[in-house]
Amino acid sequence: MSYLNEEVQNEQNERIIRLFKWILYEPGLWYIICTPDDKRITPSGMQALLRKLEGEGFYEIIFMLIMLHREKDFMKSMFFYILTELASDKWKSGHGNEIIRKAIEYL
């Protein structure tokens, strides 16, 4: 028994069918997305792939891509940059203490 209403289930079905069709159309990109040690993932390649996925609206796949390739040095640099940028924005808006609170809660 599903906890989702029929409208939500239909929407999910449409999204997964769209993803499957995209995978059939772009099998090489799907392989790169799912293969963390693929040598073709470079900073410029990752940038192009992120742009393509964003253009398609595949935000869940973007998150998966970033997590699967997180051990690459350039990705570690990206995480540091994003964290620093977001922390700076929080501090500017007067909510910097939220970052400290979240760090404490996480640990």
Side-chain angles (χ1 to χ4, degrees), residues 4-5 7 14 23 30 33 42 44 46 49-50 70 97:
L4 301 175
N5 68 40
E7 184 179 329
E14 288 175 19
I23 291 169
W30 184 247
I33 289 168
T42 62
S44 61
M46 178 65 80
L49 190 48
L50 289 170
R70 69 185 177 274
N97 58 334

Side-chain angles (χ1 to χ4, degrees), residues 31-50:
Y31 179 84
I32 291 170
I33 289 168
C34 297
T35 309
D37 59 347
D38 194 293
K39 303 298 183 226
R40 293 172 290 180
I41 288 287
T42 62
S44 61
M46 178 65 80
Q47 190 177 53
L49 190 48
L50 289 170

Side-chain angles (χ1 to χ4, degrees), residues 55-95:
E56 295 287 345
F58 290 138
Y59 300 105
E60 298 92 342
I61 304 304
I62 290 172
F63 180 74
M64 185 184 86
L65 170 69
I66 289 170
M67 292 306 295
L68 283 172
H69 297 273
R70 69 185 177 274
E71 294 300 322
K72 292 198 175 281
D73 287 338
F74 67 86
M75 292 299 287
K76 292 176 185 177
S77 296
M78 182 200 72
F79 285 126
F80 177 77
Y81 173 81
I82 289 173
L83 174 64
T84 304
E85 185 75 18
L86 291 173
S88 174
D89 290 346
K90 275 286 196 190
W91 234 274
K92 285 177 192 172
S93 70
H95 300 286

Side-chain angles (χ1 to χ4, degrees), residues 98-107:
E98 290 178 23
I99 297 168
I100 305 303
R101 247 193 336 266
K102 287 183 186 268
I104 292 168
E105 289 172 16
Y106 175 77
L107 295 172

